[in-house]
């Protein structure tokens, strides 16, 4: 009897991951992806939440005919914080508002969005076609395939 290694099972990657560089708002990019790729991505009621006040925009479409699930997720989350500083002046303590940026996948800080396609049957040729179609969308600067097995933060891509 062969023993199943849980770590090996968890490390199995069964999805394609595409990095998208674009200044578009999430809802506009989802609209253009739907139009260009004939998808039906829709905004989820709850954002992807990893605690510490970080929430990432997420759009989803479950293709029941092809047994595939598509996710468009923002890579950045900006959190506004109040910081108190003491400048040793007459006015003493002062509040300052600062913004901190968090990344879903910190290894790719320049990527604005990730398109995750959970489909066991997707081929490299199909991914290359998708890349070309996404690249043709106005205001998409560049797209490329990301190898999830090389990511230190790949666990952030386990959702839903």
């Amino acid at each position: 009897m062969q023993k199943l290694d849980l770590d090996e099972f968890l490390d199995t990657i069964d999805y394609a991951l595409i990095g998208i560089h674009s200044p578009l708002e999430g809802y506009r990019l989802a609209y253009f992806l739907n139009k260009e790729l004939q998808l039906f991505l829709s905004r989820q009621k709850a954002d992807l939440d990893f605690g510490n006040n970080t929430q990432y925009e997420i759009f989803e479409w479950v293709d029941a005919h092809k047994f595939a699930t598509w996710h468009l997720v923002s890579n950045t989350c900006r959190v506004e914080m109040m910081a108190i500083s003491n400048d040793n002046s007459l006015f003493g303590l002062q509040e300052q508002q600062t913004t901190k940026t968090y990344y879903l996948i910190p290894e790719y800080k320049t990527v604005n969005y990730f398109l995750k396609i959970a489909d066991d049957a997707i081929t490299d040729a199909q991914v290359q076609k998708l890349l070309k179609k996404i690249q043709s969308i106005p205001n998409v600067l560049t797209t490329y395939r990301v190898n999830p097995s090389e990511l230190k933060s790949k666990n952030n891509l386990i959702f839903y």
Side-chain angles (χ1 to χ4, degrees):
M1 177 179 231
Q2 192 174 28
K3 185 178 176 184
L4 179 65
D5 184 9
L6 184 59
D7 289 334
E8 184 178 315
F9 177 75
L10 291 175
D11 285 341
T12 303
I13 305 295
D14 59 349
Y15 57 89
L17 189 62
I18 296 174
I20 302 173
H21 293 255
S22 175
L24 291 171
E25 293 289 329
Y27 71 92
R28 293 201 26 96
L29 181 59
Y31 169 80
F32 287 123
L33 288 171
N34 286 342
K35 186 176 172 185
E36 188 66 36
L37 305 177
Q38 287 77 48
L39 305 178
F40 296 97
L41 291 165
S42 63
R43 177 80 187 256
Q44 296 302 287
K45 290 179 183 174
D47 288 338
L48 192 58
D49 189 348
F50 287 100
N52 69 358
N53 295 326
T54 59
Q55 295 185 341
Y56 301 88
E57 237 181 345
I58 186 163
F59 300 80
E60 179 183 51
W61 175 49
V62 178
D63 184 351
H65 297 293
K66 294 184 181 178
F67 302 106
T69 304
W70 298 66
H71 289 103
L72 175 67
V73 61
S74 173
N75 189 39
T76 58
C77 172
R78 288 181 178 74
V79 178
E80 292 187 13
M81 302 172 161
M82 294 301 286
I84 299 175
S85 65
N86 186 357
D87 62 358
N88 293 325
S89 69
L90 177 64
F91 301 106
L93 298 177
Q94 293 183 356
E95 288 186 0
Q96 294 178 330
Q97 190 168 356
T98 61
T99 302
K100 184 163 182 170
T101 302
Y102 294 92
Y103 299 93
L104 180 69
I105 306 296
E107 299 93 318
Y108 284 87
K109 290 182 179 180
T110 59
V111 170
N112 302 100
Y113 298 94
F114 286 101
L115 184 63
K116 177 183 172 187
I117 308 157
D119 181 355
D120 292 340
I122 196 163
T123 65
D124 287 335
Q126 290 171 322
V127 172
Q128 289 304 317
K129 277 183 167 179
L130 289 172
L131 288 171
K132 286 180 183 177
K133 287 183 175 183
I134 296 168
Q135 188 69 46
S136 72
I137 295 172
N139 290 315
V140 169
L141 306 174
T142 191
T143 62
Y144 47 84
R145 187 167 191 170
V146 175
N147 185 350
S149 62
E150 295 176 358
L151 298 175
K152 291 179 185 175
S153 55
K154 64 184 165 217
N155 288 344
N156 290 350
L157 295 168
I158 301 172
F159 43 82
Y160 295 73

